[in-house]
Amino acid sequence: MITTTVNTAALAQLAEKIAVRLTIEIEASGRHVHLSRPHLEALFGLGYQLNRIKDLSQPGQFVCAERVTLAGPKGEIPNVVILGPERPESQVEISLTDAVALGVTPPVRLSGQLEGTPGITIRHGDRSITLSHGLIAAKRHIHMTPEDAALFGVTDRQRVRLKCYTSRPLILEDVELRVSSKSSTVVHLDYDEANACGFRKGDRGLLLL
């Protein structure tokens, strides 16, 4: 009789590696502001430079120490983070729950798709600016490297479904892919979506075509 010894620890490690390779890390993206150089100086002063405090998962992007207040027709949201680096055009990303509190109606858009969007007032201390446009609710999306796009058999701007392996599992429809050599592979949800699926740091999702 042949006796086989099963290394359960090794099998568990192998299963974990396979799961990581077949799934994508999920991140929750909270409300934030991107500022152009003119708007940054209007709020903080001529020549002001943003203070980086933490790098984000996307290469070259970072959390800044600076905070601002968003003001809408019905209310305000203080302590909103600025993300760097500076952008050619200022942009504010909020959730639809935030929109109710502010009394605004932003369209659901990918970052940078600002044509026809409403504006918002941004304040810092006794300084303020009012954007003529640039307010959006961020559309759920997946940043992906070209190598991972080839592995998953998908292309830039393709729309897919995502099964979230979270404490309240669900399948999200109409998740748009953003494939770029300047990206790292990660899912971005806003906090409304993250709360709906019971997201916790480290959770992952399975791409469904």
Side-chain angles (χ1 to χ4, degrees), residues 26-38:
I26 299 172
E27 289 184 346
S29 179
R31 66 180 78 97
H32 60 269
V33 173
H34 300 280
L35 290 176
S36 66
R37 166 51 47 180

PDB file of all heavy atoms in Angstrom, residues 26-38:
ATOM      1  N   ILE A  26      -9.418  45.114  -4.796  1.00  0.00           N
ATOM      2  CA  ILE A  26     -10.424  46.177  -4.782  1.00  0.00           C
ATOM      3  C   ILE A  26      -9.959  47.289  -3.849  1.00  0.00           C
ATOM      4  O   ILE A  26      -9.424  47.026  -2.772  1.00  0.00           O
ATOM      5  CB  ILE A  26     -11.789  45.644  -4.304  1.00  0.00           C
ATOM      6  CG1 ILE A  26     -12.298  44.547  -5.251  1.00  0.00           C
ATOM      7  CG2 ILE A  26     -12.816  46.770  -4.201  1.00  0.00           C
ATOM      8  CD1 ILE A  26     -13.550  43.847  -4.746  1.00  0.00           C
ATOM      9  N   GLU A  27     -10.174  48.526  -4.287  1.00  0.00           N
ATOM     10  CA  GLU A  27      -9.916  49.685  -3.432  1.00  0.00           C
ATOM     11  C   GLU A  27     -11.162  50.561  -3.386  1.00  0.00           C
ATOM     12  O   GLU A  27     -11.892  50.661  -4.381  1.00  0.00           O
ATOM     13  CB  GLU A  27      -8.753  50.520  -3.967  1.00  0.00           C
ATOM     14  CG  GLU A  27      -7.396  49.874  -3.815  1.00  0.00           C
ATOM     15  CD  GLU A  27      -6.279  50.791  -4.280  1.00  0.00           C
ATOM     16  OE1 GLU A  27      -6.563  51.806  -4.958  1.00  0.00           O
ATOM     17  OE2 GLU A  27      -5.115  50.484  -3.976  1.00  0.00           O
ATOM     18  N   ALA A  28     -11.383  51.195  -2.238  1.00  0.00           N
ATOM     19  CA  ALA A  28     -12.464  52.173  -2.105  1.00  0.00           C
ATOM     20  C   ALA A  28     -11.865  53.567  -2.212  1.00  0.00           C
ATOM     21  O   ALA A  28     -10.912  53.896  -1.510  1.00  0.00           O
ATOM     22  CB  ALA A  28     -13.171  52.003  -0.772  1.00  0.00           C
ATOM     23  N   SER A  29     -12.425  54.368  -3.095  1.00  0.00           N
ATOM     24  CA  SER A  29     -11.925  55.723  -3.333  1.00  0.00           C
ATOM     25  C   SER A  29     -12.922  56.726  -2.766  1.00  0.00           C
ATOM     26  O   SER A  29     -14.058  56.814  -3.228  1.00  0.00           O
ATOM     27  CB  SER A  29     -11.725  55.946  -4.837  1.00  0.00           C
ATOM     28  OG  SER A  29     -11.271  57.250  -5.100  1.00  0.00           O
ATOM     29  N   GLY A  30     -12.490  57.485  -1.768  1.00  0.00           N
ATOM     30  CA  GLY A  30     -13.363  58.475  -1.151  1.00  0.00           C
ATOM     31  C   GLY A  30     -13.393  59.779  -1.932  1.00  0.00           C
ATOM     32  O   GLY A  30     -12.677  59.963  -2.920  1.00  0.00           O
ATOM     33  N   ARG A  31     -14.242  60.690  -1.478  1.00  0.00           N
ATOM     34  CA  ARG A  31     -14.331  62.013  -2.109  1.00  0.00           C
ATOM     35  C   ARG A  31     -12.960  62.689  -2.112  1.00  0.00           C
ATOM     36  O   ARG A  31     -12.189  62.588  -1.153  1.00  0.00           O
ATOM     37  CB  ARG A  31     -15.353  62.872  -1.363  1.00  0.00           C
ATOM     38  CG  ARG A  31     -14.949  63.220   0.039  1.00  0.00           C
ATOM     39  CD  ARG A  31     -15.998  64.069   0.745  1.00  0.00           C
ATOM     40  NE  ARG A  31     -17.126  63.276   1.207  1.00  0.00           N
ATOM     41  CZ  ARG A  31     -17.255  62.820   2.441  1.00  0.00           C
ATOM     42  NH1 ARG A  31     -16.313  63.062   3.354  1.00  0.00           N
ATOM     43  NH2 ARG A  31     -18.311  62.132   2.801  1.00  0.00           N
ATOM     44  N   HIS A  32     -12.657  63.381  -3.204  1.00  0.00           N
ATOM     45  CA  HIS A  32     -11.363  64.055  -3.283  1.00  0.00           C
ATOM     46  C   HIS A  32     -11.377  65.126  -4.360  1.00  0.00           C
ATOM     47  O   HIS A  32     -12.301  65.204  -5.176  1.00  0.00           O
ATOM     48  CB  HIS A  32     -10.231  63.053  -3.539  1.00  0.00           C
ATOM     49  CG  HIS A  32     -10.378  62.287  -4.815  1.00  0.00           C
ATOM     50  ND1 HIS A  32     -11.036  61.084  -4.891  1.00  0.00           N
ATOM     51  CD2 HIS A  32      -9.951  62.552  -6.081  1.00  0.00           C
ATOM     52  CE1 HIS A  32     -11.012  60.632  -6.128  1.00  0.00           C
ATOM     53  NE2 HIS A  32     -10.351  61.509  -6.871  1.00  0.00           N
ATOM     54  N   VAL A  33     -10.323  65.925  -4.357  1.00  0.00           N
ATOM     55  CA  VAL A  33     -10.196  67.062  -5.264  1.00  0.00           C
ATOM     56  C   VAL A  33      -8.858  66.983  -5.992  1.00  0.00           C
ATOM     57  O   VAL A  33      -7.830  66.658  -5.394  1.00  0.00           O
ATOM     58  CB  VAL A  33     -10.264  68.394  -4.478  1.00  0.00           C
ATOM     59  CG1 VAL A  33      -9.972  69.585  -5.381  1.00  0.00           C
ATOM     60  CG2 VAL A  33     -11.627  68.548  -3.815  1.00  0.00           C
ATOM     61  N   HIS A  34      -8.880  67.270  -7.299  1.00  0.00           N
ATOM     62  CA  HIS A  34      -7.672  67.480  -8.088  1.00  0.00           C
ATOM     63  C   HIS A  34      -7.657  68.963  -8.478  1.00  0.00           C
ATOM     64  O   HIS A  34      -8.679  69.485  -8.946  1.00  0.00           O
ATOM     65  CB  HIS A  34      -7.678  66.633  -9.365  1.00  0.00           C
ATOM     66  CG  HIS A  34      -7.745  65.167  -9.131  1.00  0.00           C
ATOM     67  ND1 HIS A  34      -6.646  64.409  -8.781  1.00  0.00           N
ATOM     68  CD2 HIS A  34      -8.783  64.285  -9.209  1.00  0.00           C
ATOM     69  CE1 HIS A  34      -7.002  63.140  -8.657  1.00  0.00           C
ATOM     70  NE2 HIS A  34      -8.292  63.038  -8.908  1.00  0.00           N
ATOM     71  N   LEU A  35      -6.525  69.614  -8.321  1.00  0.00           N
ATOM     72  CA  LEU A  35      -6.457  71.039  -8.615  1.00  0.00           C
ATOM     73  C   LEU A  35      -5.458  71.354  -9.716  1.00  0.00           C
ATOM     74  O   LEU A  35      -4.388  70.746  -9.796  1.00  0.00           O
ATOM     75  CB  LEU A  35      -6.055  71.826  -7.356  1.00  0.00           C
ATOM     76  CG  LEU A  35      -7.089  71.897  -6.234  1.00  0.00           C
ATOM     77  CD1 LEU A  35      -6.489  72.614  -5.028  1.00  0.00           C
ATOM     78  CD2 LEU A  35      -8.366  72.590  -6.693  1.00  0.00           C
ATOM     79  N   SER A  36      -5.812  72.325 -10.527  1.00  0.00           N
ATOM     80  CA  SER A  36      -4.886  72.893 -11.500  1.00  0.00           C
ATOM     81  C   SER A  36      -3.961  73.878 -10.784  1.00  0.00           C
ATOM     82  O   SER A  36      -4.247  74.311  -9.653  1.00  0.00           O
ATOM     83  CB  SER A  36      -5.654  73.610 -12.604  1.00  0.00           C
ATOM     84  OG  SER A  36      -6.327  74.752 -12.072  1.00  0.00           O
ATOM     85  N   ARG A  37      -2.873  74.254 -11.420  1.00  0.00           N
ATOM     86  CA  ARG A  37      -1.959  75.223 -10.823  1.00  0.00           C
ATOM     87  C   ARG A  37      -2.647  76.554 -10.503  1.00  0.00           C
ATOM     88  O   ARG A  37      -2.506  77.062  -9.378  1.00  0.00           O
ATOM     89  CB  ARG A  37      -0.764  75.408 -11.768  1.00  0.00           C
ATOM     90  CG  ARG A  37       0.165  76.603 -11.521  1.00  0.00           C
ATOM     91  CD  ARG A  37       0.700  76.774 -10.123  1.00  0.00           C
ATOM     92  NE  ARG A  37       1.230  75.613  -9.473  1.00  0.00           N
ATOM     93  CZ  ARG A  37       1.738  75.615  -8.257  1.00  0.00           C
ATOM     94  NH1 ARG A  37       1.796  76.742  -7.553  1.00  0.00           N
ATOM     95  NH2 ARG A  37       2.190  74.509  -7.702  1.00  0.00           N
ATOM     96  N   PRO A  38      -3.437  77.142 -11.416  1.00  0.00           N
ATOM     97  CA  PRO A  38      -4.092  78.411 -11.063  1.00  0.00           C
ATOM     98  C   PRO A  38      -5.039  78.298  -9.868  1.00  0.00           C
ATOM     99  O   PRO A  38      -5.080  79.183  -9.015  1.00  0.00           O
ATOM    100  CB  PRO A  38      -4.844  78.784 -12.344  1.00  0.00           C
ATOM    101  CG  PRO A  38      -4.095  78.107 -13.437  1.00  0.00           C
ATOM    102  CD  PRO A  38      -3.629  76.814 -12.847  1.00  0.00           C
TER     103      PRO A  38
END
